[in-house]
């Protein structure tokens, strides 16, 4: 095929791809089906892919979804008004125990960690609650003051 400027143009054969949705047509066999990496990938690409798979396995949660509470998991503490408390491994476990949402528990932990100052009274507010329970990160020492004694 010759373009209007006189150059030669050879159109690519896209008969194996559906023009409407971009997916492969029925009966099309991919170039790497049944082959090993060594047969169609250079060594550099193989090393890069192996590193990616290794990092995925390293930070993947063992019991549940792969993308929740992996390497960034934080322990949280639920403190009731009577001084009783419960420590959880991560926000998802606390949400299952409470029957609430992870987002609200995490927001409550973050706002208690920031120690909001009341503009009228000037007092520091670390008593944000979700479903009647105050939530704190376990690394934050303020929750130990709320239960009345220090945890060793």
């Amino acid at each position: 095929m010759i373009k209007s400027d006189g150059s030669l143009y050879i159109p690519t054969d896209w008969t194996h791809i559906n023009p409407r949705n971009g997916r492969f047509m029925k009966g099309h066999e991919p170039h790497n089906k049944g082959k090993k990496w060594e047969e169609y990938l250079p060594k550099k690409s193989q090393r890069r892919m192996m590193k990616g798979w290794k990092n995925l396995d390293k930070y993947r949660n063992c019991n549940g979804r792969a993308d929740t509470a992996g390497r960034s998991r934080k322990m949280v503490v639920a403190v009731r008004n009577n001084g009783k408390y419960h420590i959880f491994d991560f926000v998802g476990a606390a949400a299952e125990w409470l029957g609430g949402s992870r987002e609200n528990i995490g927001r409550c932990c973050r706002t208690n960690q920031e120690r909001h100052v009341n503009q009228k009274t000037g007092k520091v507010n670390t008593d944000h609650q979700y479903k009647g329970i105050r939530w704190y990160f376990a690394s934050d020492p303020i929750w130990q003051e709320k239960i009345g004694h220090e945890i060793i």
Side-chain angles (χ1 to χ4, degrees):
M1 178 180 219
I2 299 177
K3 289 173 134 182
S4 60
D5 62 350
S7 62
L8 180 63
Y9 171 73
I10 302 172
T12 0
D13 183 26
W14 294 101
T15 55
H16 61 281
I17 291 180
N18 187 342
R20 191 170 197 180
N21 58 17
R23 295 182 182 170
F24 286 113
M25 298 289 274
K26 197 174 196 178
H28 171 74
E29 205 167 297
H31 70 92
N32 57 354
K33 182 175 181 178
K35 295 181 183 176
K36 297 186 179 192
W37 280 3
E38 294 84 22
E39 296 175 18
Y40 70 94
L41 275 178
K43 291 286 184 197
K44 186 176 181 180
S45 298
Q46 291 176 32
R47 282 193 301 271
R48 190 177 332 123
M49 289 175 76
M50 285 299 288
K51 186 176 179 183
W53 282 107
K54 182 189 73 148
N55 287 336
L56 276 176
D57 287 338
K58 183 177 177 182
Y59 297 118
R60 183 170 287 158
N61 188 6
C62 303
N63 52 358
R65 290 181 48 183
D67 59 347
T68 57
R71 59 182 165 183
S72 62
R73 92 171 30 188
K74 290 183 179 180
M75 294 177 70
V76 294
V77 180
V79 179
R80 294 185 186 261
N81 290 334
N82 58 3
K84 292 186 178 181
Y85 64 95
H86 197 300
I87 300 176
F88 298 95
D89 287 337
F90 63 106
V91 178
E96 287 177 14
W97 174 77
L98 186 63
S101 72
R102 293 177 299 163
E103 293 81 10
N104 290 339
I105 294 173
R107 185 181 306 119
C108 191
C109 290
R110 284 190 301 276
T111 52
N112 283 336
Q113 188 179 31
E114 292 167 1
R115 292 168 180 58
H116 291 281
V117 178
N118 190 338
Q119 298 296 327
K120 293 179 183 175
T121 61
K123 294 174 78 177
V124 177
N125 184 9
T126 57
D127 290 333
H128 293 277
Q129 298 180 3
Y130 175 60
K131 288 196 173 184
I133 300 174
R134 292 183 305 237
W135 295 93
Y136 303 96
F137 288 120
S139 59
D140 192 9
I142 194 79
W143 71 271
Q144 295 173 1
E145 298 170 11
K146 297 292 181 180
I147 62 169
H149 64 279
E150 190 170 324
I151 305 297
I152 298 176

